[in-house]
Coordinates of all heavy atoms in Angstrom, one line a residue:
P34 N -6.9 -25.0 -15.2 CA -6.2 -26.2 -14.7 C -4.9 -26.4 -15.4 O -4.6 -25.8 -16.5 CB -7.2 -27.3 -15.1 CG -7.9 -26.7 -16.3 CD -8.0 -25.2 -16.1
G35 N -4.1 -27.3 -14.8 CA -2.8 -27.7 -15.4 C -1.7 -26.9 -14.9 O -1.7 -26.2 -13.9
A36 N -0.6 -26.9 -15.7 CA 0.6 -26.1 -15.4 C 1.1 -25.5 -16.7 O 1.5 -26.2 -17.6 CB 1.7 -27.0 -14.8
Q37 N 1.1 -24.1 -16.7 CA 1.5 -23.4 -17.9 C 2.2 -22.1 -17.5 O 2.0 -21.6 -16.4 CB 0.3 -23.0 -18.8 CG -0.5 -24.2 -19.3 CD 0.3 -24.9 -20.4 OE1 1.1 -24.4 -21.1 NE2 -0.1 -26.2 -20.6
F38 N 3.1 -21.6 -18.4 CA 3.7 -20.3 -18.2 C 2.7 -19.2 -18.3 O 1.8 -19.3 -19.1 CB 4.9 -20.1 -19.2 CG 6.1 -20.8 -18.8 CD1 6.5 -22.0 -19.6 CD2 6.9 -20.4 -17.8 CE1 7.6 -22.7 -19.3 CE2 8.1 -21.2 -17.5 CZ 8.4 -22.3 -18.2
I39 N 2.8 -18.2 -17.5 CA 1.9 -17.1 -17.6 C 2.2 -16.2 -18.8 O 3.3 -15.7 -18.9 CB 1.9 -16.2 -16.3 CG1 1.5 -17.1 -15.1 CG2 1.0 -15.0 -16.4 CD1 1.6 -16.3 -13.7
L40 N 1.2 -16.0 -19.6 CA 1.4 -15.3 -20.9 C 0.7 -14.0 -20.9 O 0.8 -13.2 -21.8 CB 1.0 -16.1 -22.1 CG 1.8 -17.5 -22.2 CD1 1.2 -18.2 -23.4 CD2 3.3 -17.2 -22.4
S41 N -0.1 -13.7 -19.8 CA -0.8 -12.4 -19.8 C -0.7 -11.8 -18.4 O -0.1 -12.4 -17.5 CB -2.3 -12.7 -20.0 OG -2.8 -13.6 -19.0
T42 N -1.1 -10.6 -18.3 CA -1.1 -9.8 -17.0 C -2.2 -10.3 -16.1 O -3.3 -10.7 -16.6 CB -1.1 -8.3 -17.2 OG1 -2.3 -8.0 -17.9 CG2 0.1 -7.9 -18.1
E43 N -2.0 -10.1 -14.8 CA -3.0 -10.4 -13.8 C -3.2 -9.1 -13.0 O -2.3 -8.6 -12.3 CB -2.6 -11.5 -12.9 CG -2.5 -12.9 -13.6 CD -3.9 -13.4 -14.0 OE1 -4.8 -13.3 -13.1 OE2 -4.1 -13.8 -15.1
N44 N -4.4 -8.5 -13.1 CA -4.7 -7.3 -12.4 C -3.7 -6.2 -12.7 O -3.4 -5.3 -11.9 CB -4.7 -7.5 -10.8 CG -5.9 -8.2 -10.4 OD1 -6.5 -9.0 -11.1 ND2 -6.3 -8.0 -9.1
G45 N -3.2 -6.2 -14.0 CA -2.3 -5.2 -14.4 C -0.9 -5.5 -14.1 O 0.0 -4.8 -14.5
F46 N -0.6 -6.7 -13.4 CA 0.8 -7.0 -13.1 C 1.4 -8.0 -14.1 O 0.7 -8.9 -14.6 CB 0.8 -7.8 -11.7 CG 0.6 -6.9 -10.5 CD1 -0.7 -6.6 -10.1 CD2 1.7 -6.3 -9.9 CE1 -0.9 -5.7 -9.0 CE2 1.5 -5.4 -8.8 CZ 0.2 -5.1 -8.4
D47 N 2.6 -7.7 -14.4 CA 3.3 -8.6 -15.4 C 4.1 -9.6 -14.7 O 5.0 -9.3 -14.0 CB 4.2 -7.7 -16.3 CG 4.9 -8.4 -17.4 OD1 4.6 -9.6 -17.6 OD2 5.8 -7.8 -18.0
F48 N 3.8 -10.9 -15.0 CA 4.5 -12.0 -14.5 C 5.3 -12.7 -15.6 O 5.6 -13.9 -15.5 CB 3.6 -13.0 -13.8 CG 2.9 -12.5 -12.6 CD1 1.8 -11.8 -12.6 CD2 3.4 -12.8 -11.3 CE1 1.1 -11.3 -11.5 CE2 2.8 -12.4 -10.2 CZ 1.7 -11.6 -10.3
G49 N 5.6 -12.0 -16.7 CA 6.1 -12.6 -17.9 C 7.7 -12.7 -17.9 O 8.3 -12.7 -16.8
T50 N 8.2 -12.7 -19.0 CA 9.7 -12.8 -19.1 C 10.4 -11.5 -18.9 O 11.0 -10.9 -19.8 CB 10.0 -13.4 -20.6 OG1 9.5 -12.4 -21.5 CG2 9.5 -14.7 -20.8
N51 N 10.3 -11.0 -17.6 CA 10.9 -9.8 -17.3 C 12.0 -10.0 -16.2 O 12.2 -9.1 -15.3 CB 9.9 -8.8 -16.8 CG 9.0 -9.4 -15.7 OD1 9.2 -10.5 -15.3 ND2 8.0 -8.6 -15.3
N52 N 12.5 -11.2 -16.1 CA 13.4 -11.6 -15.0 C 14.8 -11.9 -15.5 O 15.0 -12.1 -16.7 CB 12.8 -12.8 -14.3 CG 11.4 -12.6 -13.9 OD1 11.1 -11.7 -13.2 ND2 10.5 -13.4 -14.5
I53 N 15.8 -11.9 -14.6 CA 17.1 -12.4 -15.0 C 17.0 -13.8 -15.5 O 16.1 -14.6 -15.1 CB 18.1 -12.3 -13.8 CG1 17.7 -13.2 -12.7 CG2 18.2 -10.9 -13.3 CD1 18.8 -13.3 -11.6
F54 N 17.9 -14.2 -16.4 CA 17.8 -15.5 -17.0 C 16.6 -15.7 -18.0 O 16.4 -16.7 -18.6 CB 17.8 -16.7 -16.0 CG 18.9 -16.7 -15.1 CD1 18.7 -16.8 -13.7 CD2 20.2 -16.6 -15.5 CE1 19.7 -16.8 -12.8 CE2 21.3 -16.6 -14.5 CZ 21.0 -16.7 -13.2
D55 N 15.8 -14.6 -18.1 CA 14.7 -14.6 -19.0 C 13.7 -15.8 -18.8 O 13.3 -16.5 -19.7 CB 15.2 -14.6 -20.4 CG 14.1 -14.1 -21.4 OD1 13.3 -13.3 -21.0 OD2 14.1 -14.6 -22.5
T56 N 13.4 -16.1 -17.5 CA 12.5 -17.2 -17.2 C 11.2 -16.6 -16.6 O 11.2 -15.8 -15.7 CB 13.1 -18.1 -16.2 OG1 13.4 -17.4 -15.0 CG2 14.3 -18.8 -16.8
A57 N 10.1 -17.1 -17.1 CA 8.8 -16.6 -16.6 C 8.3 -17.4 -15.4 O 8.7 -18.5 -15.2 CB 7.8 -16.6 -17.7
W58 N 7.3 -16.8 -14.7 CA 6.6 -17.6 -13.7 C 5.7 -18.6 -14.5 O 5.2 -18.3 -15.5 CB 5.7 -16.7 -12.9 CG 6.5 -15.7 -12.0 CD1 6.9 -14.5 -12.3 CD2 6.8 -15.9 -10.6 NE1 7.5 -13.9 -11.3 CE2 7.5 -14.7 -10.2 CE3 6.7 -17.0 -9.8 CZ2 8.0 -14.6 -8.9 CZ3 7.2 -16.8 -8.5 CH2 7.8 -15.7 -8.1
F59 N 5.4 -19.7 -13.8 CA 4.3 -20.6 -14.3 C 3.4 -20.9 -13.2 O 3.7 -20.8 -12.0 CB 4.9 -21.9 -15.0 CG 5.5 -22.8 -14.0 CD1 4.6 -23.8 -13.4 CD2 6.8 -22.9 -13.7 CE1 5.2 -24.7 -12.5 CE2 7.4 -23.8 -12.8 CZ 6.5 -24.7 -12.2
Y60 N 2.1 -21.1 -13.6 CA 1.1 -21.5 -12.6 C 0.9 -23.0 -12.6 O 1.1 -23.7 -13.6 CB -0.2 -20.7 -12.8 CG -0.9 -21.1 -14.1 CD1 -1.8 -22.2 -14.2 CD2 -0.7 -20.4 -15.3 CE1 -2.4 -22.5 -15.4 CE2 -1.3 -20.7 -16.5 CZ -2.2 -21.8 -16.5 OH -2.8 -22.1 -17.7
S61 N 0.4 -23.5 -11.5 CA 0.2 -24.9 -11.4 C -0.9 -25.2 -10.4 O -1.0 -24.4 -9.4 CB 1.4 -25.7 -11.0 OG 1.1 -27.1 -10.7
D62 N -1.8 -26.2 -10.6 CA -2.7 -26.6 -9.6 C -2.4 -28.0 -9.1 O -3.3 -28.7 -8.6 CB -4.2 -26.6 -10.2 CG -4.3 -27.5 -11.4 OD1 -3.3 -28.1 -11.8 OD2 -5.5 -27.6 -11.9
Q63 N -1.1 -28.4 -9.3 CA -0.7 -29.7 -8.9 C 0.3 -29.6 -7.7 O 1.5 -29.5 -7.9 CB 0.0 -30.4 -10.1 CG -0.9 -30.5 -11.3 CD -0.2 -30.8 -12.6 OE1 1.0 -31.2 -12.5 NE2 -0.9 -30.7 -13.7
A64 N -0.3 -29.5 -6.5 CA 0.5 -29.4 -5.3 C 1.5 -30.6 -5.2 O 1.1 -31.7 -5.5 CB -0.4 -29.3 -4.1
N65 N 2.7 -30.3 -4.8 CA 3.7 -31.4 -4.8 C 4.6 -31.2 -3.6 O 5.5 -30.3 -3.6 CB 4.5 -31.3 -6.1 CG 5.5 -32.4 -6.2 OD1 5.5 -33.4 -5.4 ND2 6.5 -32.3 -7.1
G66 N 4.5 -32.1 -2.6 CA 5.4 -32.1 -1.5 C 5.4 -30.8 -0.8 O 4.4 -30.4 -0.2
A67 N 6.6 -30.1 -0.8 CA 6.7 -28.9 -0.1 C 6.1 -27.7 -0.8 O 6.0 -26.6 -0.2 CB 8.2 -28.6 0.1
Y68 N 5.6 -27.9 -2.0 CA 5.1 -26.7 -2.8 C 3.5 -26.8 -2.7 O 2.9 -27.6 -3.4 CB 5.6 -26.8 -4.2 CG 7.1 -27.0 -4.2 CD1 7.7 -28.2 -4.5 CD2 8.0 -26.0 -3.8 CE1 9.0 -28.4 -4.5 CE2 9.3 -26.2 -3.8 CZ 9.9 -27.4 -4.1 OH 11.2 -27.6 -4.1
Q69 N 3.0 -25.9 -1.9 CA 1.5 -25.9 -1.6 C 0.9 -24.5 -1.8 O 1.6 -23.5 -1.5 CB 1.3 -26.4 -0.2 CG 1.9 -27.8 0.1 CD 1.1 -28.9 -0.5 OE1 -0.1 -28.8 -0.8 NE2 1.7 -30.0 -0.8
P70 N -0.3 -24.5 -2.3 CA -1.0 -23.2 -2.3 C -1.5 -22.8 -0.9 O -1.6 -23.6 0.0 CB -2.2 -23.5 -3.2 CG -2.5 -24.9 -3.0 CD -1.2 -25.6 -2.8
H71 N -1.8 -21.5 -0.8 CA -2.4 -21.0 0.5 C -3.9 -21.1 0.5 O -4.5 -21.5 1.4 CB -1.9 -19.6 0.8 CG -2.6 -19.0 2.0 ND1 -3.6 -18.0 1.8 CD2 -2.6 -19.3 3.3 CE1 -4.1 -17.7 3.0 NE2 -3.5 -18.5 3.9
S72 N -4.5 -20.7 -0.7 CA -5.9 -20.8 -0.8 C -6.2 -21.4 -2.2 O -5.4 -21.2 -3.1 CB -6.5 -19.4 -0.7 OG -6.1 -18.5 -1.8
G73 N -7.3 -22.0 -2.3 CA -7.7 -22.7 -3.6 C -6.7 -23.8 -3.9 O -6.2 -24.5 -3.1
S74 N -6.4 -23.9 -5.2 CA -5.5 -25.0 -5.7 C -4.4 -24.5 -6.5 O -3.5 -25.3 -6.9 CB -6.3 -26.1 -6.4 OG -7.0 -25.5 -7.6
T75 N -4.4 -23.2 -7.0 CA -3.4 -22.7 -7.9 C -2.4 -21.9 -7.2 O -2.7 -21.0 -6.4 CB -4.1 -22.0 -9.1 OG1 -5.1 -22.8 -9.6 CG2 -3.1 -21.5 -10.1
F76 N -1.1 -22.0 -7.6 CA 0.0 -21.2 -7.1 C 0.9 -20.9 -8.2 O 0.8 -21.5 -9.3 CB 0.7 -21.9 -6.0 CG 1.2 -23.3 -6.3 CD1 2.5 -23.4 -6.8 CD2 0.4 -24.4 -6.2 CE1 3.0 -24.7 -7.1 CE2 1.0 -25.7 -6.5 CZ 2.3 -25.8 -7.0
L77 N 1.9 -20.1 -8.0 CA 3.0 -19.8 -8.9 C 4.3 -20.5 -8.5 O 4.5 -20.7 -7.3 CB 3.2 -18.3 -9.0 CG 2.1 -17.4 -9.5 CD1 2.6 -16.0 -9.8 CD2 1.4 -18.0 -10.8
A78 N 5.1 -20.8 -9.5 CA 6.4 -21.4 -9.2 C 7.4 -20.9 -10.3 O 7.0 -20.3 -11.3 CB 6.3 -22.9 -9.1
T79 N 8.6 -21.3 -10.1 CA 9.7 -21.0 -11.1 C 10.2 -22.3 -11.6 O 10.1 -23.3 -11.0 CB 10.8 -20.1 -10.5 OG1 11.3 -20.8 -9.4 CG2 10.2 -18.8 -10.0

Side-chain angles (χ1 to χ4, degrees):
Q37 297 288 336
F38 285 105
I39 298 179
L40 301 177
S41 61
T42 59
E43 291 293 314
N44 286 28
F46 287 88
D47 183 8
F48 293 85
T50 55
N51 52 2
N52 310 298
I53 63 171
F54 305 128
D55 198 35
T56 60
W58 293 90
F59 71 87
Y60 65 87
S61 175
D62 61 356
Q63 303 165 13
N65 181 15
Y68 312 106
Q69 302 288 332
H71 171 253
S72 64
S74 59
T75 305
F76 58 90
L77 298 190
T79 58

